[in-house]
Amino acid sequence: MDLKTRHWDRIGNGGLTFTELGFGTAPLGNLYRAISDADARATLDAAWDKGVRYYDTAPLYGLGLSETRLNPFLRDKPRDDYVLSTKVGRLIQHCAPEHRSGEGKWFEVPQRREQYDYTYDGVMRSFEHSFSRLGVDRIDILYVHDLCIFSHGSKEMSDMRIEEFFGGRGYDAMVSLRDQGLITAIGGGINEWEVCQTLAERGDFDLFLLAGRYTLLEQTALDSFLPLCEARGIGIVGGGPYNSGILATGARQGAWYNYDVAPQEVLDRVSAIERVCDAHGVRLVDAAFQFPLLHPAHVTVIPGGQGVSEMEGNAAAARAKIPQGLWSDLKSEGLMRQDAPT
């Protein structure tokens, strides 16, 4: 199946062509539950068969497992046929069992621990380690990963890591890799648009992978960040379009929102959005996938997929046609910002 594509070229270096549906590979790192190598490969094969040609990974995902699972899958694919991104900011190191990172988050993964390192040397080492795990000849996009409050626990710690990134010359390393043509684009993979805006104001970034912050549920990024991206030609990769699950599963008890069980006020809001979708004969998950792509800065949306059925569901959402009246009704009922592009 051919998916719609969007070409992005901010600095005149040829740019990149994204399928509107990309593949976020955190679930292939055994996020929240273990899956077999065979099931991971079947999911990747299903994505390719559906036309997906953008794959995002990171050293963090499964403490290296996501990258190593991509290795055999990508090995026989023509390199110019897909776009690949990974991330820097952590080094993944062998350790004793009792020091393994991510207990309760990553299951049946290598005996490794993560060490934050946003310096020049840390970025370069992480880049080389990713090449070794992925086994590819080229990585297209390099994101600095998780400089946000969500990851570091407080604004003070987030600010400290941002200073480490710029003052320790991790940013300079990324710019150098782009200037040398070793990567096509640099950006940030971040959970908070405010941190993305800080980076955009301090550096020359091409793309931001913004996770869960411009969705059917959340549009505060329209305040200042997304207009800044439009003005500068910065592309947005829409991560977490289902807000950790609730916009795919609907407002059922125990639904996940922002990596945790959804609070009642979120359940109530999703229930209201679902009623409008039902009135238009539209699946909630389809509207959730399509919504970010209505914003002109967005180049792709990358929901995670931990199995073939989830991958097929994402592909169906990418093909969905949404009537204009749905967006109008969501706005008229106060369930979507009036300035959200539709």
Side-chain angles (χ1 to χ4, degrees):
M1 180 192 83
D2 290 330
L3 292 168
K4 291 180 181 178
T5 61
R6 298 188 179 194
H7 187 73
W8 167 93
D9 187 0
R10 174 175 167 262
I11 58 176
N13 63 356
L16 298 164
T17 298
F18 296 87
T19 46
E20 288 188 348
L21 170 60
F23 192 109
T25 65
L28 299 190
N30 290 353
L31 178 63
Y32 302 133
R33 67 182 178 92
I35 60 174
S36 68
D37 288 341
D39 286 346
R41 178 58 187 260
T43 305
L44 287 166
D45 287 340
W48 188 270
D49 291 343
K50 294 293 184 183
V52 174
R53 295 296 183 267
Y54 172 48
Y55 298 85
D56 173 70
T57 186
L60 172 66
Y61 302 158
L63 307 179
L65 182 61
S66 167
E67 289 184 323
T68 57
R69 280 178 161 168
L70 276 170
N71 181 316
F73 165 70
L74 293 173
R75 194 172 300 149
D76 62 351
K77 305 293 189 292
R79 185 58 193 88
D80 290 340
D81 285 5
Y82 63 88
V83 175
L84 177 65
S85 59
T86 192
K87 305 181 182 76
V88 293
R90 290 176 175 88
L91 296 174
I92 306 301
Q93 302 172 329
H94 182 268
C95 66
E98 63 270 21
H99 296 139
R100 203 211 87 184
S101 297
E103 291 286 350
K105 180 178 182 179
W106 309 109
F107 288 82
E108 296 181 22
V109 296
Q111 192 174 293
R112 304 287 187 270
R113 68 183 180 96
E114 56 179 295
Q115 178 183 325
Y116 288 109
D117 192 333
Y118 293 102
T119 66
Y120 188 100
D121 287 346
V123 166
M124 291 300 195
R125 288 171 63 195
S126 180
F127 185 54
E128 288 299 322
H129 293 172
S130 287
F131 266 119
S132 296
R133 286 187 291 261
L134 287 162
V136 296
D137 297 326
R138 186 175 80 244
I139 293 168
D140 299 297
I141 307 164
L142 205 58
Y143 299 115
V144 61
H145 201 190
D146 286 347
L147 284 166
C148 44
I149 296 168
F150 181 84
S151 297
H152 296 291
S154 68
K155 186 176 188 304
E156 291 73 20
M157 287 300 297
S158 169
D159 289 345
M160 186 185 81
R161 292 299 187 180
I162 291 169
E163 289 306 318
E164 177 187 340
F165 176 59
F166 285 102
R169 300 184 58 239
Y171 168 73
D172 293 343
M174 293 177 69
V175 170
S176 174
L177 291 168
R178 183 182 62 187
D179 288 349
Q180 294 175 66
L182 297 175
I183 51 177
T184 301
I186 64 171
I190 312 286
N191 289 291
E192 295 144 16
W193 67 261
E194 296 89 344
V195 174
C196 293
Q197 181 164 325
T198 295
L199 296 180
E201 290 170 346
R202 291 189 61 172
D204 179 40
F205 292 91
D206 304 306
L207 297 159
F208 285 100
L209 197 175
L210 180 60
R213 301 284 80 82
Y214 188 70
T215 70
L216 271 182
L217 271 175
E218 299 187 37
Q219 295 120 45
T220 58
L222 287 167
D223 289 347
S224 54
F225 174 59
L226 289 177
L228 174 66
C229 291
E230 285 189 83
R232 294 194 182 177
I234 297 170
I236 299 294
V237 173
Y242 310 143
N243 281 118
S244 296
I246 192 168
L247 291 177
T249 64
R252 57 175 176 76
Q253 288 300 317
W256 285 80
Y257 165 74
N258 207 27
Y259 309 107
D260 207 342
V261 176
Q264 190 60 48
E265 61 266 25
V266 171
L267 290 170
D268 292 344
R269 187 172 181 85
V270 172
S271 292
I273 293 171
E274 280 188 282
R275 285 194 293 272
V276 177
C277 288
D278 289 344
H280 287 271
V282 172
R283 295 193 311 162
L284 175 66
V285 67
D286 294 346
F289 179 89
Q290 294 286 337
F291 170 72
L293 290 168
L294 297 170
H295 192 282
H298 281 68
V299 296
T300 184
V301 173
I302 55 165
Q306 201 165 28
V308 172
S309 63
E310 289 184 15
M311 185 60 245
E312 290 175 343
N314 292 333
R319 295 194 303 267
K321 304 296 183 186
I322 310 296
Q324 190 63 34
L326 171 65
W327 311 123
S328 300
D329 286 353
L330 287 171
K331 288 184 177 184
S332 66
E333 296 195 22
L335 296 168
M336 180 188 292
R337 280 181 52 145
Q338 295 297 317
D339 56 345
T342 55

